[in-house]
Amino acid sequence: MSVNQAEDPRKVTTHRLQQMKERGEKISMITSYDYTMASIVDEAGVDVILVGDSASNVVAGNMTTLPISLEQMIYHGKSVVKAVNRALVVVDMPFGSYQISPTEAVRNAIQMMKVTHADALKLEGGVEIIDAVKQILAAGIPIMGHLGLMPQSINKYGTYNVRAKNDAEAEKLLSDALALEEAGCFALVLEKIPAALAKRTSETVKIPVIGIGAGGAVDGQVLVLHDMLGMTKGFSPRFLRRYADLNSIINDAVSRYVKDVKNSDFPNETEQY
Ligand code: KIV
């Protein structure tokens, strides 16, 4: 049975996310990369769909998010937007598309918005990318910031360990969050940081803060769809709650299909013309 959890069927906007934070209503966000999954996720009532560059890992099979291209993100973004009626759709700007110069960043951002018809874009980084953020915002494109563990910078850190555990890094994260808010970002993602720091950040900035591995005292949560559905194997960080075991379900279905084909049990008389 499919269930639409959304109490308000109207299209989610950045303005509505702000109202949700103000009245203490939690924001649900999840990733999607294709039409079919996005239509299921949207119908289930999620508030924000992130076309994450995690597509590089879970769809394209890369070790990191770095290889995915602008064209590939546009392809995923376009496929998702076509399926969605209610959720706000945010597309990740891929590595290399906004770091070279603010002019190039705004050109790529405009291209992404024009072709995908998404509602907003997400960029990783704080003060280092603030000029690009400001120029994209000046073009009228809403931006969601992303701080803490920033997978596009994995080669700088070398590990996916919890970020901002010491005071200096925590203060830097807070000042980055304030800078992104002041520039005009409509929301922030905080990935894999101590829960106390995430709470402090969400109390400091007025815009919604969405956490992944950042504890419960923030304004919403995001998970990667393939992880929370139990499709991916061998990835079990503490913050991940698996809501299904699709890996086993799919394996079982495909195994039974293979068996039926081998035994000439499929198709039967009613399954042919
Ligand atoms: O790409 C992605 O899926 C993300 C989430 C982990 C927030 O950025």
Side-chain angles (χ1 to χ4, degrees):
M1 187 184 67
S2 73
V3 181
N4 191 328
Q5 302 280 358
E7 278 171 14
D8 188 340
R10 288 173 306 154
K11 172 83 184 164
V12 177
T13 59
T14 58
H15 178 66
R16 276 185 57 204
L17 295 180
Q18 184 63 45
Q19 290 176 325
M20 286 167 81
K21 168 157 183 153
E22 282 159 21
R23 57 172 184 260
E25 181 184 340
K26 296 278 185 176
I27 297 164
S28 59
M29 171 161 143
I30 208 158
T31 68
S32 292
Y33 318 97
D34 68 86
Y35 178 88
T36 304
M37 292 303 266
S39 65
I40 298 171
V41 163
D42 188 47
E43 222 170 89
V46 77
D47 299 311
V48 183
I49 294 181
L50 172 65
V51 185
D53 59 359
S54 49
S56 180
N57 308 93
V58 299
V59 180
N62 296 309
M63 291 295 288
T64 72
T65 58
L66 276 72
I68 201 158
S69 67
L70 186 69
E71 291 69 29
Q72 286 168 318
M73 287 307 300
I74 287 175
Y75 167 83
H76 290 299
K78 240 168 103 174
S79 310
V80 167
V81 168
K82 280 189 216 151
V84 173
N85 293 312
R86 178 181 175 273
L88 184 94
V89 180
V90 181
V91 183
D92 262 338
M93 289 195 76
F95 176 67
S97 67
Y98 57 95
Q99 293 92 343
I100 294 170
S101 72
T103 307
E104 199 161 319
V106 78
R107 186 183 300 119
N108 288 331
I110 287 171
Q111 170 80 349
M112 291 181 80
M113 295 297 285
K114 256 189 194 298
V115 185
T116 65
H117 299 185
D119 300 305
L121 301 176
K122 177 163 81 59
L123 279 70
E124 293 181 10
V127 290
E128 303 80 8
I129 58 153
I130 208 73
D131 291 340
V133 166
K134 284 180 183 163
Q135 287 232 21
I136 296 170
L137 287 165
I141 300 170
I143 296 185
M144 174 180 275
H146 182 150
L147 298 170
L149 195 160
M150 293 178 278
Q152 292 180 12
S153 303
I154 182 60
N155 293 316
K156 183 171 163 190
Y157 297 94
T159 81
Y160 287 100
N161 290 348
V162 177
R163 299 292 198 260
K165 278 170 92 174
N166 66 45
D167 287 352
E169 285 172 20
E171 290 314 312
K172 157 97 173 97
L173 186 140
L174 269 172
S175 65
D176 281 342
L178 284 165
L180 291 168
E181 174 178 49
E182 201 188 316
C185 289
F186 73 88
L188 291 178
V189 164
L190 294 182
E191 181 164 355
K192 220 171 173 188
I193 62 167
L197 175 61
K199 177 173 190 284
R200 198 171 145 212
T201 311
S202 139
E203 287 167 355
T204 303
V205 297
K206 293 186 182 62
I207 56 176
V209 171
I210 318 247
I212 172 163
V218 285
D219 309 303
Q221 298 293 328
V222 55
L223 284 175
V224 169
L225 185 67
H226 291 52
D227 296 335
M228 63 86 74
L229 291 180
M231 293 171 85
T232 45
K233 274 173 138 179
F235 179 66
S236 301
R238 187 195 299 189
F239 68 76
L240 175 60
R241 187 179 294 180
R242 289 192 200 279
Y243 285 85
D245 182 8
L246 286 200
N247 194 302
S248 301
I249 291 171
I250 295 170
N251 186 299
D252 176 61
V254 175
S255 306
R256 287 188 291 113
Y257 164 73
V258 169
K259 199 167 141 232
D260 287 352
V261 171
K262 300 278 180 195
N263 295 339
S264 300
D265 286 339
F266 175 80
N268 63 25
E269 274 179 19
T270 66
E271 291 162 330
Q272 63 191 12
Y273 299 98

